[in-house]
Amino acid sequence: MQQHLGWADERFGAVADVFAHNFAEFPELGAAVTVFAGGRKVVELWGGTADDRTGRAWTQDTMVPVFSCAKGPVSVCAHLLAQQDRLDLDAPVARYWPEFARHGKQDVTTRMILGHRAGLPALDTVLSFEEIAAWEPVIRAIEAQQPLWEPGTTYEYHGHVFGFAVGEVIRRITGLTPGSFLRKEIAEPLGLPVRIGLPESELPLVARLVEADGRRPLPGPEHLLTRIVTMNGALVFPGLDEPHGWNDPALHAIELPGAGAVASATGLAGLYAAAVTGLDGGERLLSAATVTDAVREVSSGAGFLGFDMGARWGSGVLLDSPAFRPLLGGRSFGNDGAGGQFAFGDDEFGVGFAYVANRMIGHGDARATRLIDAVRGCLG
């Protein structure tokens, strides 16, 4: 069986067992899992290969692109501003960003964007990678966009627009882009390796993604789903090694706050633990009342495209979804990423959890779910 490194408290030994079994039973390459309980790290495990070309081993410090797990840190930032009475999630976005109100968006609230209900899953404007990297062209395109449906009446996953739209609200309030706000207010003070916009100095820590066999291709380029996840083709998905694929350092360097975070398992688990319990006796980032607001269901069921994968959404966060991603209960909230990454927190159980890997098996595959099941069992 695959040898892994790290440790687990005796009470959480079952998590280590499942982590080892994942390497035996899935085409795992490299992976890590970290669990906090009561603000204290109780599991930190890693193993396998970070770069299949060089054989570089996965280490305690290895980071990996975590795709839409980025939405979790961005949402925590938004809820933190709401808790500080700097952002009203139910006020029109235009209160903070007046130019947003154009073309029928005058009543769209930040909560509608967080709940994927704003009618802005994709943009009509076709932007280049360089324009996306520059930030402002995306913001101008959002301002010019007409909603695909009457805002608030249905939902569909807001992919990349989620991060730019919520991120611009954060920028209008704080003067900082979301990646800078995350770094300054949360990640650096707490020593958490979670980045939206990776510094060049940390590139050597990044694992190289690889595709598992048999992943389903996206529909054609005109399909809304494809436009959502590729920003109309400017971002290659799931392509990894093409220019601007997900192994490209140029992509890691830009702020892509809907799906472009790079993090370690410990960074993501620590962020959720900081949110729900505080770390090592420190004050929690989000109050119980703020979490209650975040975990109130906003969207579920069949969306605009008619799909119902069983996901339940709160304000910017995936909720306990027994048919899609079973978590610990009604206070659990997190976000998953393409290829199998997942992270969440729960203030009832006092848990922060993250699993990351560089073998992209599938959206919502069983590796993280098995680990969460083990955590649930360890908690009794």
Side-chain angles (χ1 to χ4, degrees):
M1 192 173 289
Q2 168 77 28
Q3 289 296 305
H4 59 259
L5 301 170
W7 58 277
D9 275 12
E10 186 175 352
R11 181 185 174 195
F12 289 87
V15 179
D17 294 341
V18 172
F19 187 68
H21 283 298
N22 276 357
F23 276 92
E25 297 170 28
F26 293 87
E28 200 74 284
L29 181 61
V33 62
T34 299
V35 183
F36 287 78
R40 189 175 66 86
K41 194 187 298 174
V42 295
V43 176
E44 187 175 38
L45 299 165
W46 63 91
T49 302
D51 190 328
D52 64 329
R53 299 168 305 177
T54 65
R56 171 166 57 96
W58 198 290
T59 70
Q60 186 175 14
D61 298 327
T62 296
M63 302 168 77
V64 66
V66 294
F67 298 93
S68 286
C69 288
K71 292 180 175 68
V74 169
S75 299
V76 168
C77 291
H79 285 291
L80 190 60
L81 290 173
Q83 182 173 283
Q84 295 167 351
D85 292 325
R86 300 166 74 186
L87 168 60
D88 181 345
L89 298 179
D90 296 306
V93 169
R95 175 187 293 184
Y96 311 99
W97 172 9
E99 303 90 337
F100 179 86
R102 299 171 187 157
H103 305 294
K105 300 191 298 296
Q106 64 277 0
D107 296 325
V108 172
T109 65
T110 303
R111 196 183 305 278
M112 285 181 192
I113 301 169
L114 289 168
H116 306 278
R117 304 188 74 82
L120 305 170
L123 300 173
D124 293 334
T125 306
V126 176
L127 298 163
S128 67
F129 178 83
E130 290 71 25
E131 288 172 319
I132 291 167
W135 188 271
E136 288 289 347
V138 185
I139 302 312
R140 301 289 87 80
I142 292 172
E143 291 167 1
Q145 184 67 37
Q146 186 168 341
L148 267 64
W149 59 80
E150 182 183 341
T153 59
T154 187
Y155 85 103
E156 189 52 65
Y157 194 60
H158 275 40
H160 293 286
V161 177
F162 175 108
F164 283 103
V166 177
E168 182 66 6
V169 172
I170 291 169
R171 189 175 81 95
R172 295 291 176 123
I173 293 169
T174 68
L176 298 170
T177 56
S180 296
F181 182 79
L182 172 69
R183 184 177 69 247
K184 180 171 180 280
E185 297 296 325
I186 300 174
E188 283 186 354
L190 296 175
L192 298 173
V194 182
R195 311 285 182 253
I196 296 173
L198 185 75
E200 189 175 356
S201 62
E202 294 181 347
L203 268 174
L205 300 175
V206 178
R208 182 175 181 274
L209 297 165
V210 297
E211 281 278 6
D213 294 335
R215 271 167 54 83
R216 286 187 301 181
L218 289 168
E222 300 305 316
H223 194 284
L224 180 59
L225 178 62
T226 303
R227 293 175 53 218
I228 289 170
V229 300
T230 68
M231 289 195 79
N232 295 329
L235 304 173
V236 183
F237 188 86
L240 301 176
D241 295 317
E242 294 87 344
H244 316 318
W246 295 89
N247 284 323
D248 188 344
L251 189 138
H252 302 327
I254 72 173
E255 288 205 24
L256 199 63
V262 178
S264 68
T266 297
L268 278 176
L271 182 136
Y272 280 102
V276 300
T277 62
L279 294 177
D280 299 318
E283 189 176 346
R284 61 189 282 182
L285 288 176
L286 302 183
S287 69
T290 299
V291 171
T292 297
D293 186 58
V295 300
R296 182 166 51 83
E297 184 181 297
V298 175
S299 297
S300 64
F304 182 73
L305 284 170
F307 302 145
D308 183 3
M309 297 174 66
R312 299 171 56 245
W313 297 98
S315 295
V317 291
L318 182 69
L319 306 179
D320 183 42
S321 304
F324 176 72
R325 179 73 78 179
L327 302 179
L328 299 181
R331 303 286 292 182
S332 296
F333 64 96
N335 245 294
D336 62 355
Q341 332 280 6
F342 191 72
F344 78 98
D346 187 303
D347 67 349
E348 180 182 355
F349 292 96
V351 165
F353 169 96
Y355 163 80
V356 301
N358 59 345
R359 174 87 73 190
M360 295 179 63
I361 291 181
H363 197 70
D365 71 77
R367 291 170 294 172
T369 299
R370 287 158 53 115
L371 289 162
I372 296 166
D373 288 345
V375 171
R376 189 184 301 109
C378 294
L379 293 167

